[in-house]
Amino acid sequence: RDDGLHPDELVKPNLRYNRYLKDLGYGGDNPWHRHANGAVDEQGNFLSGWYMRNASRPANIRAEDSETPYLTGRAIDFITEAGDQPWCLHLSYIKPHWPYIVPAPYHQLYGLDDILPPNRSQLERQDPHPVYAAFMQHRDSRAFQRDEVRQAVIPAYMGLVKQVDDHLGRLFAFMKQRGLWEDTLIVLTADHGMNAKFGKDGQPDVIYLQDLFDGWVGKDKAKVILPITDPYVVHHGALGSYAVVYCADPAPQIAKLKAMAGIEAVLTKDEAAGRFELPPERLGDIVVVSTKHKVLGTSAARHDLSGLTEPLRSHGGISEQKVPLICNRRMTTAPGGRYWRNFDAFDLALNLVA
């Protein structure tokens, strides 16, 4: 699995897809960016797909070599190598997603006639709710208020969707040709939701847990760990809605946290292991989950938010767990009152369908 976001300044060495592209003759140290997620102008100059103004141009790569066909090919290779043995495959497509750029012919399959007009009203700008007001100033929101941006990006995005659709068709046709279609369970889900995490002033609404614990139990007497760490400060700011805390005497601190606004759940290690179905040996003494629009940090001094030029969005909390979960078979029993998560895809496929 890979998130597919590798601009030149953050590229990891020796990425498998980069090696694949280089073996096909694509040049440069980072052909994933320079070809799969980039274009060229009429003079041969490189145009990054990270800039939405370039979305209407075709990516500088043959369609069959781009990310979605590559991942589909890897899936087909895996199934082929399995032969007659049972297999389980986790296929994680990274598109459609930004950078919004797609190879020919997908870049021109859709045009202005395929774009639904926006439903706009100037009344929305009159004394808006603070959250909506902040979103109106979000960089992407300001961009998509311009018709030329929508007209460039939406057809490209639709082209990315069409490419995934085509290659799911390719995968399914392969399975049918191999006689696997009737005997294969397919479950579709997503990784997580996303919510705004800022206050009325548009600034990140953060509870800095390490600062709190340093004040409560003494400096370096407790350790706060955030699972979300993200180099793209404009996306998450290395801030999320879930944290674990290691400390010697958790009970008094749990009581303090439960009394705080913006905290949805405070659990002991055993409580969190039971509720979230997590291995207790991988948890701290306390698990903290913030509310829908609140985010958790370590220490204010350790989070550089100077590059955060737009309202913060992040995930990791209970409020971001709602995602689709779709299966190609009927369930053998009614779902009842079960609270479903994306990782229940495996239980659904293996145990709960006909």
Side-chain angles (χ1 to χ4, degrees), residues 244-256:
V244 297
V245 185
Y246 292 84
C247 66
D249 186 15
Q253 320 321 322
I254 289 176
K256 294 175 185 176

Side-chain angles (χ1 to χ4, degrees), residues 76-260:
I76 289 173
D77 291 343
F78 174 85
I79 296 171
T80 301
E81 292 165 6
D84 295 330
Q85 298 299 313
W87 51 268
C88 179
L89 170 65
H90 176 196
L91 175 57
S92 181
Y93 284 111
I94 58 178
K95 295 291 181 72
H97 196 281
W98 45 268
Y100 301 127
I101 194 164
V102 63
Y106 293 96
H107 76 295
Q108 57 184 7
L109 291 183
Y110 302 95
L112 301 185
D113 292 339
D114 300 301
I115 302 175
L116 295 176
N119 186 12
R120 292 172 175 154
S121 171
Q122 289 303 315
L123 293 175
E124 296 172 329
R125 299 180 180 274
Q126 297 177 15
D127 192 27
H129 185 281
V131 172
Y132 293 130
F135 264 121
M136 288 179 188
Q137 298 307 312
H138 189 283
R139 182 174 61 179
D140 290 344
S141 299
R142 295 199 306 270
F144 276 99
Q145 290 171 25
R146 296 158 44 203
D147 287 339
E148 67 270 21
V149 174
R150 297 181 74 256
Q151 292 167 5
V153 171
I154 294 177
Y157 193 89
M158 294 170 69
L160 290 168
V161 173
K162 170 62 173 169
Q163 191 179 34
V164 170
D165 188 53
D166 285 351
H167 284 275
L168 283 174
R170 171 189 165 203
L171 176 61
F172 297 159
F174 165 79
M175 293 168 62
K176 291 175 181 177
Q177 187 270 328
R178 298 269 299 195
L180 298 171
W181 182 250
E182 296 298 330
D183 298 325
T184 302
L185 294 172
I186 301 172
V187 180
L188 174 68
T189 189
D191 51 358
H192 57 77
M194 189 80 74
N195 279 304
K197 304 289 184 179
F198 52 86
K200 294 180 179 180
D201 59 357
Q203 297 303 305
D205 198 355
V206 189
I207 298 173
Y208 289 107
L209 291 176
Q210 189 66 60
D211 289 342
L212 288 178
F213 274 83
D214 285 349
W216 290 344
V217 302
K219 187 171 177 57
D220 299 328
K221 298 297 184 181
K223 178 68 173 178
V224 175
I225 296 178
L226 304 176
I228 290 181
T229 55
D230 197 320
Y232 304 97
V233 69
V234 297
H235 192 43
H236 295 151
L239 299 164
S241 291
Y242 176 96
V244 297
V245 185
Y246 292 84
C247 66
D249 186 15
Q253 320 321 322
I254 289 176
K256 294 175 185 176
L257 288 166
K258 285 184 175 180
M260 292 181 60

Side-chain angles (χ1 to χ4, degrees), residues 321 325 331 335-342 344-345 347-348 352:
Q321 286 187 333
L325 186 60
M331 294 185 67
R338 177 170 177 170
Y339 186 80
W340 294 87
R341 279 74 52 84
N342 55 3
D344 288 321
D347 188 25
L348 175 63
L352 302 175

Side-chain angles (χ1 to χ4, degrees), residues 254-284:
I254 289 176
K256 294 175 185 176
L257 288 166
K258 285 184 175 180
M260 292 181 60
I263 299 295
E264 179 162 349
V266 187
L267 307 168
T268 65
K269 175 190 297 187
D270 291 338
E271 289 170 341
R275 178 170 177 178
F276 300 131
E277 300 179 53
L278 296 171
E281 65 273 14
R282 301 293 296 273
L283 298 174

